[in-house]
Amino acid sequence: MNAIIYTTNTGSTEHYAKLLAHETGLSAYSLAEAKKKVYPRTECIIYSHTHPDVR
């Protein structure tokens, strides 16, 4: 595992992604940052909020 990639609307997911990154020693990137900094086929954790009304 090389990175944590997150999306966020309010900042909460970013906060928890960065906490997870700190605990694991991985880098955390927003999706926009990851498109520039993370190579294709890199093993990563995707962390995103899913609203209960989204199906």
Side-chain angles (χ1 to χ4, degrees), residues 14-45:
E14 177 182 14
H15 174 75
Y16 288 108
K18 289 183 177 182
L19 286 174
L20 183 59
H22 177 75
E23 291 297 318
T24 61
L26 298 174
S27 297
Y29 301 106
S30 68
L31 182 58
E33 292 173 315
K35 288 179 180 181
K36 299 173 188 170
K37 296 181 179 180
V38 178
Y39 294 106
R41 295 186 173 83
T42 297
E43 288 187 2
C44 60
I45 296 170

